Amino acid sequence: MELWTKRLIVLLAAFLGFSASLSGADRSKYITTSEIKSGMKGYCLTCLKDSTVEKFDVDILGVVHNLEAGRDTILVQCTDERMARAGVIAGCSGSPVYIEGRLAGAMAMGWTFSKDALYGVTPIEDMLKTGEGADLKKTGAQKTAFSIFDFSKPIDFAEVDKQYREFADSMRKTSGQRMNIPCTVSISGFTNASAEELKDIFEPFGMMVTAGGGAAGSQDTGTNTADKKLEPGAPLVVPIVSGDMSMAVSGTVTEVLGNDVFGFGHSFLGYGQVDLPMATGEVHTVAASLMRSFKIASPLQIVGALRVDGPAAVRGVVGEKAKTFDIKVKVDRDNSQHPKEFKCTVASNKVLSPQVVGPIISNAVQYEGQMPPENMVEYNAVIKSRQGEPIIFSNISTGTGPSDIASETVSAVRLLMNNPFKAAEIESINVEAVVKEKDISARLWSAEVLDPKVKAGESIEIKTVVDSFLSPKKLYTQRIKIPTGLAGGEYELAVCGAAEYQSFVRSIAPQRFLVQNFEDLTEALNYLLKIERDRLYFVLVLPAKGIILEKAELSDLPATKALVLTDSHRSLGSLPYRGWVEESVKTGTIITGRRSFKITVEE
């Protein structure tokens, strides 16, 4: 009895120690780092061709403790010639490594310019902790904004782009050091120019953009996708975009427990809960390179959804469905009799979704090749979310190709999906663009006020000459009525193009670009995006009258009440209200420049 008691205590202690690290997993199936010694032999499972999982021998070099804070790493070297000659292969992230027939972990790390197929392996005990306690049947979508953007200041698209780029730069990995094995981003249907855009998007997150193929579900590839499944060593694919254009992130499955799938051996984007499509895939080949070998892969069939993006692994559930939205871009280039229409489905993700919308639009507009330097794009767009009013705008650009429509759409989607007020889900994006080989740029050549002295209630006349590209100068005559009852004195009158007009409104009425709730956001975006570029603006600045309380414009507030509301002890911020009188004329050209005058309103 005493002997059995001792044996039971030993077995129980071993089980409890193992279950603490492997969450109660089967010890006969997994091996811990404490059991791993240098000189052991093992093998990895991965796919180098088609969807066939193969076995490759590895030597165990040992365990490096705390290579990353709080986590050990198993060092292995592939001895199989097929992998050894390629060095570390991008796309092998998650390839399971077995020692003595038990799963030890996943290939996850490499060293830049390493001549050997030397891998760092994330221990399986760390990977299986991913998503512990989470309800994986519920959507993994983040409920709060990804805190990149400053909503305390008036909306400025240039500032929004700057803030995102600073965030992306902060995510960049240092070259020449140990780094996560890149997941490959296989793209198809994109021009070289658009591919360069995609590199700037994905590389900060440690991914590698490669040419690949579209999903078998959207093309007649002859591939039988029904019998492909997610299993250890098989491709694990995250389709970011599918349809007429494709972007799919590829790694490898490490372990499957029931419907739960673990892979990559490192983070994907690195921020916890996610809600992304999860698909099977196939590898076309491995491109061996002195700098970085990589798998060329394509998605096959969506079979579930990624729910957790942890530091040691991603975790998905087979049978679950991730949220997506549709984007449609219709392009009429040079009055073609058959406009081209592109349809794509985009994974709904707060970080990646806004970014990939831009290249989709740019690529569609330039489907026949790069645009000539002299170009004009007329466009309209509708962005629908499942919350709030749609964002609807139309405009025109010249000399910038698709960049204006792409950047405006990207900025709007960025702010909608990452606002701190309400979880916004994009439902659809529809863009129509007409492209012509024509330059409609112009400059303000001259402006003249015929009589700078006027009385309240009368009109003042302005003559403006606009100099257009390869066109004769054109004269515009416009009258502005002076408000009745305007006090005598000197006032500023300005003539300007759309860019200068927007700067003027932003400086004099910043409250129109401030947002304090989701309704404010949609209103501000619609206001900002509807400033037409092909107009000449005439603006008369009025004296300060009333106040701006938060966003409310109290222009007729009596001075005594305004004094009370502007008390410094009040919590609500206030500014003097300054109005203006404006007129505009459609010119068919995009004008740059500004002229200002002083006019006198006589008593």
Side-chain angles (χ1 to χ4, degrees):
M1 185 69 178
E2 184 178 350
L3 179 61
W4 280 106
T5 302
K6 288 181 179 179
R7 287 180 177 177
L8 181 62
I9 291 172
V10 171
L11 289 172
L12 183 61
F15 172 76
L16 290 175
F18 190 75
S19 64
S21 62
L22 285 178
S23 304
D26 185 357
R27 184 176 183 181
S28 65
K29 189 176 181 181
Y30 304 110
I31 186 170
T32 64
T33 53
S34 62
E35 300 175 84
I36 298 172
K37 308 296 181 185
S38 176
M40 286 180 162
K41 300 293 183 180
Y43 64 87
C44 75
L45 297 179
T46 198
C47 177
L48 301 184
K49 179 70 175 175
D50 300 322
S51 299
T52 305
V53 176
E54 298 180 83
K55 184 185 292 187
F56 302 88
D57 292 337
V58 299
D59 286 343
I60 312 304
L61 304 182
V63 177
V64 180
H65 298 288
N66 289 314
L67 185 62
E68 292 189 19
R71 197 164 77 222
D72 298 339
T73 299
I74 307 162
L75 289 183
V76 305
Q77 184 169 333
C78 290
T79 56
D80 188 292
E81 184 181 351
R82 292 170 295 171
M83 290 190 70
R85 69 183 183 85
V88 176
I89 303 172
C92 277
S93 294
S95 298
V97 173
Y98 295 81
I99 301 173
E100 295 183 348
R102 292 183 289 167
L103 179 57
M107 291 178 168
M109 186 184 299
W111 282 260
T112 306
F113 303 117
S114 173
K115 294 190 296 182
D116 300 317
L118 179 65
Y119 289 87
V121 174
T122 299
I124 189 63
E125 56 256 49
D126 293 329
M127 295 183 66
L128 294 182
K129 294 175 184 176
T130 302
E132 277 187 334
D135 186 352
L136 301 178
K137 296 298 181 182
K138 291 184 178 180
T139 176
Q142 288 183 307
K143 299 295 187 288
T144 56
F146 202 76
S147 302
I148 302 173
F149 309 114
D150 184 0
F151 282 85
S152 67
K153 298 177 181 178
I155 291 176
D156 183 338
F157 287 165
E159 187 63 26
V160 167
D161 187 65
K162 177 184 175 184
Q163 290 167 5
Y164 178 81
R165 292 186 183 280
E166 289 174 351
F167 160 75
D169 286 341
S170 72
M171 299 293 293
R172 289 188 183 277
K173 309 295 188 297
T174 304
S175 61
Q177 305 290 329
R178 62 177 177 81
M179 59 186 297
N180 291 339
I181 302 170
C183 290
T184 60
V185 186
S186 299
I187 63 172
S188 66
F190 287 90
T191 64
N192 289 335
S194 297
E196 289 301 314
E197 287 186 70
L198 292 172
K199 286 183 180 180
D200 291 338
I201 292 169
F202 286 102
E203 285 183 353
F205 296 98
M207 301 180 215
M208 182 177 182
V209 176
T210 69
S218 62
Q219 300 179 19
D220 183 14
T221 62
T223 302
N224 183 8
T225 64
D227 61 345
K228 308 303 179 185
K229 62 180 181 178
L230 297 176
E231 60 181 344
L236 174 59
V237 182
V238 184
I240 303 299
V241 176
S242 57
D244 292 330
M245 306 171 208
S246 175
M247 302 176 208
V249 178
S250 299
T252 306
V253 177
T254 306
E255 177 65 310
V256 179
L257 298 175
N259 287 330
D260 293 346
V261 179
F262 298 82
F264 289 11
H266 54 66
S267 65
F268 173 51
L269 298 174
Y271 61 90
Q273 289 183 312
V274 291
D275 185 31
L276 292 164
M278 180 174 67
T280 57
E282 64 177 347
V283 177
H284 302 289
T285 189
V286 172
S289 169
L290 292 174
M291 180 172 289
R292 173 70 71 195
S293 298
F294 57 92
K295 294 181 180 181
I296 299 176
S298 297
L300 290 179
Q301 184 177 20
I302 294 174
V303 295
L306 286 187
R307 291 304 196 211
V308 185
D309 177 12
V314 295
R315 182 173 180 176
V317 182
V318 174
E320 293 294 301
K321 187 175 181 180
K323 288 185 174 67
T324 59
F325 63 85
D326 294 328
I327 178 169
K328 182 171 67 175
V329 185
K330 185 177 180 180
V331 182
D332 182 354
R333 190 152 178 177
D334 297 318
N335 296 316
S336 171
Q337 292 184 347
H338 303 287
K340 181 76 171 176
E341 187 171 85
F342 298 84
K343 296 179 180 179
C344 296
T345 298
V346 181
S348 185
N349 179 269
K350 293 176 183 293
V351 178
L352 288 182
S353 298
Q355 300 311 114
V356 301
V357 164
I360 290 172
I361 294 172
S362 297
N363 192 67
V365 172
Q366 299 182 113
Y367 73 95
E368 287 187 347
Q370 289 285 88
M371 298 178 68
E374 297 175 16
N375 62 75
M376 178 189 80
V377 182
E378 295 178 285
Y379 57 86
N380 59 74
V382 179
I383 304 170
K384 291 183 179 179
S385 69
R386 293 182 175 88
Q387 300 79 15
E389 296 296 318
I391 308 300
I392 304 173
F393 58 99
S394 301
N395 223 320
I396 191 168
S397 64
T398 191
T400 59
S403 63
D404 284 330
I405 172 60
S407 64
E408 287 174 354
T409 307
V410 167
S411 294
V413 175
R414 278 173 175 168
L415 294 174
L416 286 171
M417 296 191 75
N418 291 282
N419 81 86
F421 314 110
K422 182 186 291 185
E425 299 174 12
I426 301 299
E427 183 177 355
S428 64
I429 300 174
N430 287 298
V431 175
E432 293 185 359
V434 177
V435 182
K436 296 179 181 178
E437 191 171 340
K438 182 179 181 181
D439 189 326
I440 60 167
S441 61
R443 60 172 176 154
L444 199 58
W445 176 262
S446 66
E448 178 186 8
V449 175
L450 297 185
D451 186 354
K453 294 183 179 181
V454 67
K455 292 183 179 180
E458 295 180 347
S459 294
I460 193 165
E461 186 174 87
I462 310 104
K463 290 187 178 294
T464 306
V465 177
V466 172
D467 184 19
S468 302
F469 180 77
L470 295 180
S471 298
K473 294 182 178 65
K474 189 170 183 179
L475 172 67
Y476 295 93
T477 302
Q478 182 65 45
R479 301 184 71 85
I480 288 187
K481 184 177 180 181
I482 307 301
T484 302
L486 185 64
E490 196 172 65
Y491 296 91
E492 181 184 2
L493 174 66
V495 182
C496 59
E500 291 79 9
Y501 171 76
Q502 185 187 121
S503 297
F504 161 77
V505 176
R506 191 180 298 280
S507 65
I508 203 169
Q511 73 280 1
R512 298 191 180 187
F513 305 92
L514 278 172
V515 296
Q516 297 175 338
N517 52 54
F518 189 75
E519 290 69 28
D520 283 351
L521 176 59
T522 56
E523 182 181 337
L525 287 173
N526 276 317
Y527 179 81
L528 177 60
L529 289 165
K530 285 178 180 176
I531 295 176
E532 298 177 73
R533 290 193 186 90
D534 57 341
R535 281 187 174 273
L536 183 61
Y537 293 87
F538 304 83
V539 181
L540 174 66
V541 184
L542 301 178
K545 181 182 178 182
I547 64 170
I548 302 165
L549 194 62
E550 294 292 314
K551 285 180 62 67
E553 298 176 0
L554 307 176
S555 58
D556 297 322
L557 194 69
T560 53
K561 291 187 177 180
L563 185 62
V564 173
L565 290 174
T566 55
D567 188 332
S568 61
H569 294 92
R570 294 181 63 86
S571 60
L572 295 177
S574 62
L575 293 170
Y577 174 79
R578 298 198 69 187
W580 67 92
V581 177
E582 75 171 62
E583 297 288 345
S584 67
V585 58
K586 201 169 187 69
T587 64
T589 57
I590 297 178
I591 301 167
T592 57
R594 172 186 170 121
R595 296 285 189 277
S596 296
F597 309 92
K598 294 295 184 181
I599 67 165
T600 302
V601 176
E602 298 177 329
E603 295 289 350

